[in-house]
Amino acid sequence: MMASKPLLAVSAKDVAGKFGYYTDEAMLRPVGIQRHGVTRVVMLSLDEYERLLRRDRQVILTRDLDDETLDAILNAEIPEEACALNQLMDDPAAD
């Protein structure tokens, strides 16, 4: 996993001149490509990119759910062990 490795910031000109080197470097850590001193693009390995994609969340509106899924949600039963946690939501200041 590359997430904890620091970004290697390099100029776009350097990357253009040593593209092979920096693609190899991107396999080890993210490479920030700078233009006029500002990082505009980050090059990273395919494995890291796919890891980030897996972390993405999809948002689905209830109107887009099929009837079976929506019915399952509407008729879901709360397990007893979850009901016991309701007291944690009580606001003592409201009493």
Side-chain angles (χ1 to χ4, degrees), residues 18-70:
K18 298 179 182 177
F19 188 75
Y21 171 80
Y22 287 112
T23 56
D24 288 344
E25 200 63 30
M27 297 300 293
L28 305 173
R29 61 180 166 169
V31 176
I33 303 171
Q34 296 185 339
R35 185 170 180 191
H36 304 296
V38 176
T39 301
R40 298 176 51 124
V41 176
V42 176
M43 185 184 328
L44 43 92
S45 71
L46 179 61
D47 287 344
E48 180 66 1
Y49 174 74
E50 289 174 343
R51 183 188 73 80
L52 291 171
L53 282 179
R54 287 190 303 272
R55 294 183 55 144
D56 268 356
R57 293 184 176 188
Q58 289 185 346
V59 175
I60 301 172
L61 301 175
T62 53
R63 69 173 177 242
D64 296 332
L65 293 174
D66 61 72
D67 290 339
E68 182 181 347
T69 303
L70 188 55

Side-chain angles (χ1 to χ4, degrees), residues 79-94:
E80 277 300 314
E81 58 271 13
C83 288
L85 298 174
N86 284 344
Q87 66 181 348
L88 297 175
M89 298 301 292
D90 291 341
D91 182 3

